[in-house]
């Protein structure tokens, strides 16, 4: 196997590693291409350090790395397949954060961005809408927060929900989102 086809341990979220093929990463993403060509540490260790996940707020030390990992896995799946049907509302905001300002230099980023936006405008369940509202608040994405609150309101109006489920969902909401929901 030549070095271009080697698997690269792609470090993401500061604590987790996701395997990917260096040839595919370099061919589909300008950021990975530059890191693998010019990053001496990446060339020697076969690990690409993604400090961007911290810079963008997708993950911070001490936080649960799973949401960031899911977002990065979604990004990798897109890089491998150019498909977007796997994009879910739960990680769409984090994927959008990774796409911000064209840092990754994906030629077809607009396709993935649209899929994320569609996931956020689609119908969400109670827990998903609450999690998206909270995540949108953390990532300072007011449009997505409003969409999630709209979805929460729709779910609550459509069918009765168990009190415990509503309390659990409301507990994670930012104050402004909870207040907006109460006004409806």
């Amino acid at each position: 196997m030549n070095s271009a086809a080697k698997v690269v341990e792609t470090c993401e979220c500061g604590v987790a590693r996701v395997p990917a093929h260096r040839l595919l990463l370099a061919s589909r993403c300008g950021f990975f291409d530059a890191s693998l060509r010019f990053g001496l540490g990446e060339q020697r260790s076969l690990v690409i350090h993604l400090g961007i996940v911290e810079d963008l707020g997708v993950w911070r030390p001490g936080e649960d790395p799973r949401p960031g990992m899911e977002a990065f896995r979604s990004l990798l799946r897109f890089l491998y397949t150019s498909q977007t049907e796997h994009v879910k509302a739960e990680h769409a905001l984090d994927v959008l954060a990774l796409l911000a300002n064209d840092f990754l230099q994906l030629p077809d980023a607009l396709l993935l961005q649209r899929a994320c936006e569609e996931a956020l405008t689609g119908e969400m369940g109670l827990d998903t809408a609450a999690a998206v509202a909270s995540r949108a608040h953390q990532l300072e994405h007011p449009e997505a927060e409003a969409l999630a609150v709209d979805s929460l309101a729709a779910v609550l109006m459509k069918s009765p929900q168990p009190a415990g489920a509503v309390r659990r969902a409301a507990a994670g909401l930012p104050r402004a989102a909870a207040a907006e929901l109460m006004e409806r």
Side-chain angles (χ1 to χ4, degrees):
M1 178 189 289
N2 74 33
S3 64
K6 285 184 184 174
V7 170
V8 174
E9 291 284 335
T10 305
C11 182
E12 54 120 356
C13 296
V15 294
R17 290 185 176 185
V18 177
H21 295 89
R22 80 179 1 223
L23 181 61
L24 179 110
L25 293 176
S27 68
R28 297 273 290 131
C29 177
F31 168 79
F32 288 122
D33 182 42
S35 293
L36 291 167
R37 272 206 238 173
F38 307 114
L40 295 177
E42 284 83 353
Q43 288 177 344
R44 276 189 243 128
S45 70
L46 297 180
V47 175
I48 299 174
H49 298 281
L50 296 173
I52 183 102
V53 296
E54 291 179 48
D55 296 343
L56 296 172
V58 173
W59 178 81
R60 290 184 180 92
E63 287 184 351
D64 182 359
R66 287 177 291 191
M69 287 174 57
E70 288 306 313
F72 192 69
R73 283 189 179 114
S74 183
L75 175 67
L76 279 178
R77 188 167 178 188
F78 176 73
L79 291 175
Y80 272 83
T81 67
S82 296
Q83 302 291 313
T84 59
E85 68 275 349
H86 64 278
V87 175
K88 305 281 186 255
E90 293 92 323
H91 54 264
L93 283 167
D94 292 300
V95 173
L96 285 172
L98 291 171
L99 295 175
N101 301 318
D102 198 31
F103 179 82
L104 294 175
Q105 303 165 29
L106 296 177
D108 47 0
L110 194 55
L111 181 64
L112 184 55
Q113 180 181 341
R114 284 187 189 131
C116 291
E117 290 166 353
E118 287 174 16
L120 292 170
T121 58
E123 192 172 313
M124 295 181 232
L126 182 69
D127 290 333
T128 299
V132 168
S134 177
R135 192 68 178 144
H137 185 75
Q138 288 174 328
L139 293 174
E140 298 178 6
H141 200 301
E143 298 88 6
E145 189 173 346
L147 288 169
V149 170
D150 290 346
S151 191
L152 265 171
V155 167
L156 292 171
M157 297 296 210
K158 187 165 58 168
S159 61
Q161 301 289 322
V166 173
R167 254 191 309 278
R168 183 179 64 248
L173 287 177
R175 287 182 196 246
E180 184 181 333
L181 189 59
M182 298 287 265
E183 291 175 5
R184 294 177 181 217

